[in-house]
Amino acid sequence: DCTMQKKTSESDVSSPPPIIVLSHGLGLSQDSSLTPFVKAFVENGFSAFTFDYATFGWSAGWPRHQVKPQKHVKDLQAALSYVRTDLANQADASRIGLWGTSMGGGHVLSVASGDSDIRAVVANVPHVKSALESIIGTLQREPILTSIGLVKVLGALIKWSISQLLNGTTTYIPLHGQPGSSAMMQNKGDDEGYSSMIHDNARAIGWKNFASVGSVLPSLFYRPINKVHNISSPALLIAAENDTLCSADSAYVAAKQMNPDQTKVVTLHNAGHFDVYDGAHLELSLNETVKFFLQHV
């Protein structure tokens, strides 16, 4: 399911606005904390297009809540195709910007690497290296709790495998939880940060704190950084200095593999992964993003 928002005026018919397609993070629906970004884009003359990945939010698909990064990339490509065909009379499909956050930040980089018609791409605290590499870093910081969590996730994978063999049913683990839990995201602060992004309207359409256990392995090895050297569009990477999920260092490494004349990196100092969705860090991210899109889209 998808939504487009824009301001209407008498000039819309003769000059449809450029459009920004938004790609959300791991396990999140379009009803979860995208409003400030959509509002900022619309107020600055863009249309904003949001959508739900298959099995999440309003979108179809079963089993529910499957985090399959490569399939999410295809969902984003399908959204772009829809914008370019079905919405061509409502927005300027020749002027498309991509915005993504967290894992969605990795998705927009992946898509832009194979789509030279994208005018500009902004990756907000982007997932660029694999979750496996992130876990290795967490093991070094919190070896005991991280090891306990890994054992619980391994147990869930074994249970899921047996269930698949016996009757084909799926099993679930939390999307977010406390350190040492079986959750997909369980670094210090993840549980509280992720919870702050889920509002009543997301719960009303069936969002729950779980992901299919079959999501674990595809997410572990998803590595958009392998493709970023192919990006020809202007790109902005926004990194959070204290991010333990999608480290700032990973964003810096990715930027070095991209066209230096068209790539900009902004660091949000004293910010963690979820701080970019509120307060002063959100304001800075919005200002940099809108300025970049106005310049390039």
Side-chain angles (χ1 to χ4, degrees):
D1 190 76
C2 56
T3 304
M4 188 180 85
Q5 296 186 38
K6 67 173 182 176
K7 281 188 174 179
T8 58
S9 69
E10 292 180 359
S11 65
D12 280 346
V13 175
S14 59
S15 57
I19 186 165
I20 309 300
V21 178
L22 292 83
S23 181
H24 217 335
L26 186 149
L28 292 163
S29 66
Q30 59 185 314
D31 300 277
S32 302
S33 299
L34 287 183
T35 300
F37 300 94
V38 170
K39 183 179 179 182
F41 298 153
V42 171
E43 288 182 346
N44 282 277
F46 300 98
S47 293
F49 183 90
T50 64
F51 68 98
D52 288 324
Y53 304 118
T55 79
F56 285 93
W58 292 105
S59 286
W62 190 264
R64 301 299 292 169
H65 283 207
Q66 295 184 70
V67 181
K68 302 289 181 70
Q70 297 297 345
K71 290 187 176 180
H72 289 179
V73 168
K74 291 181 178 178
D75 290 340
L76 175 54
Q77 290 170 328
L80 280 171
S81 178
Y82 179 82
V83 166
R84 285 167 168 156
T85 54
D86 294 59
L87 298 182
N89 62 337
Q90 300 179 51
D92 187 347
S94 69
R95 300 171 63 197
I96 297 176
L98 289 181
W99 178 93
T101 191
S102 193
M103 184 170 278
H107 298 339
V108 295
L109 293 173
S110 293
V111 169
S113 71
D115 191 335
S116 60
D117 291 329
I118 298 300
R119 286 291 190 96
V121 56
V122 175
N124 192 47
V125 291
H127 170 109
V128 290
K129 290 189 175 180
S130 69
L132 183 60
E133 290 165 285
S134 177
I135 290 171
I136 292 171
T138 306
L139 270 170
Q140 294 171 342
R141 292 189 302 271
E142 297 283 349
I144 295 176
L145 283 176
T146 305
S147 296
I148 292 172
L150 287 173
V151 169
K152 290 181 179 178
V153 173
L154 179 59
L157 278 167
I158 293 171
K159 179 181 177 182
W160 171 79
S161 299
I162 293 172
S163 178
Q164 289 285 298
L165 287 171
L166 292 178
N167 51 28
T169 59
T170 194
T171 53
Y172 292 90
I173 56 174
L175 280 161
H176 62 91
Q178 291 293 317
S181 69
S182 62
M184 290 188 73
M185 289 180 286
Q186 53 173 281
N187 289 353
K188 185 178 180 181
D190 287 355
D191 196 28
E192 297 81 3
Y194 197 107
S195 296
S196 69
M197 299 183 68
I198 306 301
H199 306 297
D200 289 341
N201 51 351
R203 293 188 175 92
I205 61 172
W207 185 94
K208 294 182 180 179
N209 181 24
F210 62 68
S212 66
V213 179
S215 304
V216 172
L217 293 179
S219 299
L220 276 178
F221 300 105
Y222 178 54
R223 206 169 186 267
I225 197 171
N226 292 344
K227 298 182 177 181
V228 297
H229 64 280
N230 291 320
I231 296 175
S232 59
S233 309
L236 169 64
L237 278 63
I238 299 176
E241 183 179 29
N242 300 328
D243 197 329
T244 60
L245 278 173
C246 304
S247 73
D249 286 343
S250 295
Y252 303 153
V253 172
K256 289 180 180 178
Q257 298 181 28
M258 299 163 68
N259 185 337
D261 296 327
Q262 297 199 102
T263 303
K264 180 180 179 180
V265 179
V266 171
T267 302
L268 304 178
H269 295 289
N270 300 313
H273 188 76
F274 294 99
D275 293 327
V276 301
Y277 304 106
D278 192 27
H281 298 303
L282 169 63
E283 184 177 354
L284 178 57
S285 175
L286 286 174
N287 288 341
E288 291 289 343
T289 297
V290 168
K291 183 168 61 176
F292 193 79
F293 279 143
L294 286 172
Q295 179 181 356
H296 295 289
V297 177

